[in-house]
Amino acid sequence: MTTSNIKIDNLFFLNKNLIAKRDNTCILCDPSIETFEKFFISQNIFEFQAVIITQLSKDNLHLLYSASPKIVFYMSQELFLLLQKMQRFNLIPVILNMGKIIPYGFPQKIGSFKVTAYKNDDSLYGSLALIISDIQTKITVGYVNIFALYGGHKKRAKQWLKKMAASNMKAFITSKAMFNNKPAQLPTSENGIQKNFCKQLQNKQSAKPFSVFLSPWNPERLHRFYETCTALDKKLVLPAAMAELLHFFFPEDTVYYYATAEVAQQLSPQSGFCGINKQQLAEHPNDFVLQDSFEPCFIDPSIQSEHGFQNHSWLDESNFRHAVEQLDEKMLADLKSRSNTTNILQC
């Protein structure tokens, strides 16, 4: 393992972020605001400037809202679709520069480089693994910011590891967060999260519905919360906007939303979309699990806030906590073997 502040053949640079530079091309991968300003604002030498967003983060979303239209953004099809729907259902403000979708598995020419993107699993949604090659010299690196080596989407890691192993890459680059070696405070797998949630649901009997605070940023996990509630004969009741989001991604579900008088007037009746009112919640509290930001009994592990959840913004940095196992010695040895490199770098 090597720490940051290094160069790879004067083409790839690691500080807090991965930067690819040649001639008039500069590509930043998941840049911090500081890195972005240093390269794209204080310098005017690059004719082609691109940012590749491989994961959900406050910085990445901030750049989408604030960057100049001349900056080209690339992201996964999954993340692009999620951002579209988050805007459509008024969960986040409108983004004017949505950028471009980078296709999965097909090399794309981005300035002086060739970039191939693969689906990744980092416990959030829409993340990417990248193979980046200099077109002229063929020098190649692999980049995956955060990843679940044995996560719920094992086939994704298997695919990008196989492709990286065959690419003769000079280095595999990942985030320092994969090596923090802090003991896990919460379950680090999707199954573990649902087991913990299920256990709390089973042990709670109250005169009020079991209250939760769940995130819209991962529709797959939100769907699993819905399935866990259904298996216990309970109905997960969401705010209308989150219910619409879940219904879009999983149209076969009967999704329940909290139907205030105001919401009932705004929403037209839809198949598989059912309103639950205050009286129903009061009469049968143990039949329902209710999204409630006031005093939630259970909080999605991706959300970590020290300031409570009143007037919570879905753009806050507290929404993007990863639930992945960090690399121990055994996992690191497996990663080196499967990626066909011993040069593991951190940024």
Side-chain angles (χ1 to χ4, degrees):
M1 278 185 309
T2 307
T3 55
S4 55
N5 296 310
I6 66 169
K7 300 179 182 179
I8 302 174
D9 294 293
N10 283 320
L11 294 169
F12 301 98
F13 303 82
L14 275 67
N15 192 345
K16 293 180 180 179
N17 311 106
L18 171 61
I19 304 153
K21 290 193 300 179
R22 171 182 276 283
D23 302 327
N24 295 326
T25 295
C26 184
I27 300 173
L28 305 182
C29 297
D30 303 313
S32 64
I33 303 300
E34 178 185 3
T35 300
F36 180 85
E37 291 178 348
K38 177 181 178 181
F39 281 88
F40 284 179
I41 295 179
S42 64
Q43 299 184 35
N44 297 312
I45 61 174
F46 303 112
E47 293 180 7
F48 189 89
Q49 301 174 334
V51 172
I52 304 179
I53 292 175
T54 76
Q55 63 165 3
L56 278 167
S57 72
K58 179 186 177 182
D59 277 359
N60 281 340
L61 291 171
H62 175 82
L63 291 178
L64 284 175
Y65 280 104
S66 62
S68 164
K70 76 174 184 177
I71 307 297
V72 182
F73 287 92
Y74 293 89
M75 68 185 75
S76 71
Q77 181 179 354
E78 285 184 328
L79 183 53
F80 192 94
L81 179 62
L82 177 59
L83 288 173
Q84 276 190 331
K85 300 312 169 188
M86 291 282 286
Q87 294 170 79
R88 174 182 170 184
F89 300 127
N90 298 313
L91 290 162
I92 59 173
V94 173
I95 301 172
L96 297 179
N97 183 9
M98 278 284 287
K100 299 180 178 181
I101 293 171
I102 187 166
Y104 307 121
F106 293 95
Q108 303 295 303
K109 183 180 182 297
I110 300 180
S112 302
F113 296 87
K114 180 176 71 175
V115 181
T116 311
Y118 299 92
K119 287 186 179 183
N120 178 45
D121 177 11
D122 69 355
S123 85
L124 295 179
Y125 193 80
S127 64
L128 290 173
L130 304 177
I131 298 176
I132 309 176
S133 300
D134 174 58
I135 293 174
Q136 183 175 326
T137 64
K138 311 301 182 185
I139 292 169
T140 300
V141 299
Y143 171 74
V144 197
N145 192 294
I146 293 177
F147 57 95
L149 193 57
Y150 314 123
H153 292 290
K154 292 181 182 178
K155 290 183 179 179
R156 295 187 178 186
K158 183 178 180 180
Q159 183 184 32
W160 58 252
L161 278 165
K162 182 179 180 180
K163 296 296 184 180
M164 288 183 184
S167 70
N168 194 30
M169 62 182 177
K170 278 228 169 179
F172 176 86
I173 300 161
T174 188
S175 166
K176 288 182 179 179
M178 293 299 297
F179 299 91
N180 280 342
N181 296 320
K182 294 180 180 178
Q185 301 296 314
L186 294 167
T188 57
S189 72
E190 295 302 318
N191 288 339
I193 290 168
Q194 296 305 317
K195 287 179 181 178
N196 183 33
F197 177 54
C198 180
K199 182 178 179 180
Q200 292 192 44
L201 273 181
Q202 289 174 317
N203 293 338
K204 186 77 172 180
Q205 293 292 323
S206 173
K208 296 180 179 180
F210 185 87
S211 59
V212 296
F213 194 68
L214 308 180
S215 170
W217 281 117
N218 192 337
E220 291 179 346
R221 183 183 292 171
L222 190 59
H223 173 67
R224 291 201 65 182
F225 284 127
Y226 164 90
E227 289 186 316
T228 298
C229 292
T230 302
L232 296 175
D233 294 322
K234 297 179 184 294
K235 297 176 175 64
L236 176 61
V237 184
L238 299 168
M242 283 181 63
E244 287 184 294
L245 182 78
L246 181 59
H247 188 252
F248 172 83
F249 281 95
F250 295 92
E252 301 302 317
D253 293 346
T254 299
V255 180
Y256 301 92
Y257 65 94
Y258 183 45
T260 62
E262 182 181 1
V263 168
Q265 290 180 349
Q266 294 175 352
L267 294 178
S268 57
Q270 300 179 46
S271 174
F273 201 58
C274 185
I276 302 295
N277 59 41
K278 186 176 181 179
Q279 182 177 347
Q280 290 171 291
L281 294 171
E283 291 178 350
H284 305 283
N286 291 310
D287 290 349
F288 301 103
V289 175
L290 178 65
Q291 174 92 349
D292 186 353
S293 62
F294 186 65
E295 288 184 339
C297 303
F298 177 90
I299 302 169
D300 188 312
S302 65
I303 305 171
Q304 187 180 26
S305 176
E306 298 177 357
H307 309 293
F309 304 104
Q310 298 299 307
N311 302 314
H312 186 78
S313 168
W314 293 119
L315 295 176
D316 289 348
E317 62 182 346
S318 60
N319 296 302
F320 308 113
R321 183 180 187 181
H322 295 87
V324 298
E325 286 187 272
Q326 294 169 331
L327 296 173
D328 58 22
E329 290 185 9
K330 183 178 179 181
M331 294 169 68
L332 186 58
D334 186 26
L335 175 65
K336 291 178 179 179
S337 174
R338 294 168 68 187
S339 63
N340 194 29
T341 184
T342 58
N343 195 15
I344 309 292
L345 308 179
Q346 301 176 38
C347 64

